[in-house]
Amino acid sequence: MLVVDGTAQGRVPDELQRVIFETAGRDNSVARQLILVSRNVRTWIEPILYECIKIRSQQHAEAFFKTIAVRPQGFFGPIVTSLAIGDSVTLQQSKAILAACSQNLVNFAVYTNARNPSIFLPFVRSHSVRQLSLKSTHCAELSFPPALLASLSHLMILDGPYSWFQMREAVRNAKNAIKSGCPSTTAHSFLSLTHFATCSQNWGSTQPLLKLAAKLRYFVVVVPPCSKAAPVIAQRILEIGDRRMVLVEYSPTIENWESSMRGSMPSVWERAEKLVEDGYFAENVDVRKWNL
């Protein structure tokens, strides 16, 4: 017999109850039911429920502000580690959300069409962001706070077309360093970067990262499922011959981002790592494995 918050003989110790409920609470739909069981269970489960948050729209943002208002001040800052902001969330709303939730962020994502996704980055308060995903069809000039860019191990930039200030500066400085014989310092911008992903229309302009990012192990080209461009890109990767490059088919939606954060589907990074480990450079094309 499992007795929660009771005194019956055979009562399960609080420590074991907590492990049981926290394990079950990793399923987001289950977690929303478990918080109704008791006050203790709610205390255990709420940090799990809110460690990954997606705000899709202005309406979702307004609903979330009501949730913030009934929680103690500073409640969300320590527990939110993954946050995604959707297309119609206003900049003003985003500032308020980031002020409340970004102190301990490790994973941050922006999914927008009409705006430059990098305008949100200066308002991130965490110094521990390791994974950043930006998706926008806006013709954007991307610019990253230097400390944020230097801390990233995983960076995904999809759609566009875009230009990237730090990339241009790094390439220019690297060329000048070669001419002058002095070491380039701009590579420090990518000091922690091990995983990079981009889309098919921008992968050519971002290939300098293969030389600029000393720790880069995976350069991922993302295409939609069943993309007609996949065989052409796969052939080009084969011709380039850099075994850090890999082609992955993926639908970059905010829902898929959340699913990968919560572990209910493999992330782009996990799939790329598995392909490279197994000697492949692409998924679902005729020629997709490196020759030994």
Side-chain angles (χ1 to χ4, degrees):
M1 177 176 64
L2 172 63
V3 180
V4 179
D5 292 340
T7 57
Q9 185 177 7
R11 180 180 183 275
V12 176
D14 284 351
E15 295 80 6
L16 182 54
Q17 284 189 39
R18 181 168 187 167
V19 171
I20 293 170
F21 282 112
E22 286 182 343
T23 301
R26 291 294 166 185
D27 184 320
N28 197 39
S29 60
V30 174
R32 295 185 181 279
Q33 299 175 40
L34 290 179
I35 60 174
L36 304 176
V37 172
S38 73
R39 184 177 298 175
N40 269 357
V41 175
R42 185 184 188 94
T43 301
W44 299 333
I45 297 301
E46 275 195 331
I48 296 173
L49 185 63
Y50 291 119
E51 68 184 6
C52 178
I53 295 176
K54 72 174 188 295
I55 309 293
R56 286 186 54 88
S57 64
Q58 294 182 38
Q59 292 76 17
H60 286 169
E62 291 302 325
F64 185 56
F65 291 144
K66 293 177 182 178
T67 302
I68 292 175
V70 299
R71 296 293 188 278
Q73 186 174 4
F75 173 82
F76 288 96
I79 63 175
V80 179
T81 58
S82 300
L83 173 67
I85 292 176
D87 186 40
S88 68
V89 182
T90 69
L91 181 59
Q92 199 63 30
Q93 288 175 325
S94 300
K95 289 180 182 179
I97 292 167
L98 289 166
C101 299
S102 69
Q103 289 82 352
N104 199 37
L105 272 188
V106 177
N107 308 294
F108 182 48
V110 178
Y111 287 78
T112 181
N113 290 320
R115 293 169 296 182
N116 181 337
S118 66
I119 63 173
F120 300 91
L121 302 182
F123 306 105
V124 175
R125 298 189 174 188
S126 173
H127 299 292
S128 304
V129 177
R130 296 293 178 263
Q131 298 193 26
L132 177 64
S133 301
L134 303 178
K135 180 184 182 295
S136 175
T137 55
H138 187 271
C139 185
E141 168 69 40
L142 301 179
S143 183
F144 297 75
L148 173 64
L149 182 58
S151 73
L152 294 176
S153 60
H154 296 61
L155 175 59
M156 182 184 297
I157 307 176
L158 300 180
D159 292 352
Y162 56 78
S163 57
W164 184 1
F165 171 74
Q166 280 95 345
M167 174 68 76
R168 291 201 311 274
E169 286 295 292
V171 171
R172 181 177 63 84
N173 290 338
K175 289 179 179 178
N176 289 339
I178 292 172
K179 291 178 181 178
S180 66
C182 299
S184 173
T185 59
T186 52
H188 292 302
S189 298
F190 313 108
L191 186 63
S192 303
L193 195 65
T194 58
H195 296 62
F196 178 74
T198 187
C199 53
S200 58
Q201 61 263 44
N202 291 306
W203 75 296
S205 63
T206 52
Q207 284 181 38
L209 274 176
L210 291 163
K211 295 181 178 179
L212 293 170
K215 295 181 181 179
L216 192 69
R217 296 167 56 198
Y218 305 94
F219 185 102
V220 187
V221 184
V222 177
V223 296
C226 304
S227 169
K228 293 181 179 178
V232 177
I233 296 171
Q235 180 60 36
R236 182 61 184 138
I237 291 174
L238 181 62
E239 292 168 358
I240 293 171
D242 192 317
R243 298 197 177 201
R244 294 173 294 176
M245 303 183 79
V246 62
L247 179 67
V248 173
E249 296 184 4
Y250 175 67
S251 295
T253 65
I254 198 169
E255 289 79 16
N256 283 346
W257 173 88
E258 182 186 32
S259 295
S260 63
M261 289 298 102
R262 292 191 179 277
S264 56
M265 67 177 287
S267 68
V268 166
W269 309 122
E270 290 169 330
R271 290 166 59 190
E273 289 167 357
K274 184 70 167 67
L275 286 167
V276 171
E277 178 185 345
D278 292 344
Y280 290 89
F281 57 85
E283 294 179 308
N284 306 322
V285 295
D286 292 338
V287 180
R288 56 197 179 102
K289 192 167 187 177
W290 297 106
N291 294 323
L292 296 178

